[in-house]
């Protein structure tokens, strides 16, 4: 399709779009943005100056806005603070993970990055034999707040865990994608530990191959909007005292609290802090 704006493709996936998002988009511009978002999984905009309401308007183009989950992230937010985060998909251990996440860099001092790996692209890269092995396979997903060192094969099922298919059918596009991730997939099907770990490793080799990762280096004014189902994200440890203020708006059907009222991250986070 033709697009009513200029854009360029990002390697190995994504699109950089040249649009001023501080004004409402025309129907054609909105349709173009949506098409690039669902095709590539991530769209990047530079030199924006967006209010919270501006950003909500943009995110609502790709999914239902989750008002209560909008807010600000910084190294002093008291939750994640400066911790490094392994690859994850937000809310993967709930029935309805977020559909889309956007971060708008308001006060960042580089270098600081976010890394993305594509489960959509990874699934397409799997050999037919590997696709056959994971067809219909379920996995136990456990909340570790993106810390893979906390994952255990024999993790107990509980309010912070869920059994779901390794291959997800995208809620909007219907495309199959690899939805296992290194920080939450504790075990695969009923495989014993050795077989489960071996198959996980095989899938992660494809998922986290250098040519399946895009690393975004942040500059003030950037808006990055990504599909939280088809992409996973990670970040290195932040430098204490270095500003990294992000305005965050997400799309999804239900908040964490709506889905699991008893969900309490406190023990997970405090345990992860040493
Ligand atoms: Fe996240």
């Amino acid at each position: 399709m033709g697009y009513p704006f200029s854009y360029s493709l990002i390697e190995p996936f994504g699109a950089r779009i040249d649009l001023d998002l501080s004004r409402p988009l025309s129907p054609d511009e909105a349709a173009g943005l949506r098409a690039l978002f669902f095709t590539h999984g991530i769209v990047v905009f530079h030199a924006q100056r967006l209010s919270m309401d501006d950003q909500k308007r943009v995110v609502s183009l790709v999914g239902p806005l989750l008002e209560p989950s909008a807010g600000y992230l910084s190294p002093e937010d008291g939750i994640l603070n400066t911790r490094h985060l392994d690859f994850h998909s937000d809310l993967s251990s709930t029935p309805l993970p977020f559909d889309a996440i956007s971060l708008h860099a308001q006060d960042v001092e580089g270098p600081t990055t976010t890394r993305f790996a594509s489960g959509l692209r990874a699934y397409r890269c799997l050999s037919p034999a590997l696709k056959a092995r994971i067809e219909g396979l379920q996995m136990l997903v456990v909340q570790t707040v993106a810390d893979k060192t906390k994952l255990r094969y024999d993790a107990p099922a509980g309010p912070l865990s869920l059994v779901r298919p390794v291959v997800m059918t995208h809620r909007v596009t219907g495309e199959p994608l690899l939805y296992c991730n290194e920080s939450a997939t504790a075990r695969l099907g009923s495989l014993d530990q050795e077989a489960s770990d071996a198959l996980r490793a095989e899938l992660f080799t494809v998922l986290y191959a250098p040519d399946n990762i895009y690393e975004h280096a942040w500059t003030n004014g950037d808006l990055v909007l990504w599909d939280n189902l088809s992409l996973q994200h990670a970040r290195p440890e932040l430098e204490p005292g270095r500003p990294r203020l992000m305005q965050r708006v997400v799309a999804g059907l239900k908040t964490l609290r709506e889905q699991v009222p008893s969900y309490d991250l406190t023990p997970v986070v405090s345990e992860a802090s040493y």
Side-chain angles (χ1 to χ4, degrees), residues 35-104:
L36 289 172
F37 172 83
F38 285 113
T39 302
H40 301 284
I42 182 168
V43 285
V44 173
F45 305 82
H46 293 303
Q48 306 292 318
R49 199 181 177 88
L50 306 178
S51 67
M52 182 60 97
D53 283 345
D54 291 335
Q55 192 170 336
K56 287 179 179 176
R57 194 180 57 242
V58 174
V59 172
S60 68
L61 297 174
V62 300
L65 203 57
L66 263 182
E67 291 274 1
S69 299
Y72 294 87
L73 301 178
S74 80
E76 301 85 30
D77 60 15
I79 303 168
L80 300 174
N81 296 321
T82 57
R83 274 189 49 211
H84 96 277
L85 302 174
D86 294 315
F87 276 110
H88 66 284
S89 160
D90 280 20
L91 271 55
S92 68
S93 58
T94 68
L96 295 168
F98 290 150
D99 287 335
I101 304 175
S102 68
L103 292 179
H104 180 29

Side-chain angles (χ1 to χ4, degrees), residues 86-87 140-144 146-155 181-187 193 197 200 204:
D86 294 315
F87 276 110
L140 178 69
V141 179
V142 177
Q143 174 60 267
T144 64
D147 182 352
K148 65 183 178 186
T149 67
K150 290 170 65 70
L151 260 192
R152 299 285 176 271
Y153 168 82
D154 54 358
N181 74 66
E182 63 178 2
S183 64
T185 300
R187 59 179 182 262
Q193 183 163 2
D197 287 353
R200 279 172 85 247
F204 293 163

Side-chain angles (χ1 to χ4, degrees), residues 216-235:
H216 183 79
W218 290 97
T219 302
N220 280 321
D222 287 354
L223 176 84
V224 176
L225 171 61
W226 72 92
D227 185 326
N228 182 57
L229 304 177
S230 65
L231 299 194
Q232 302 169 19
H233 55 290
R235 74 172 191 202

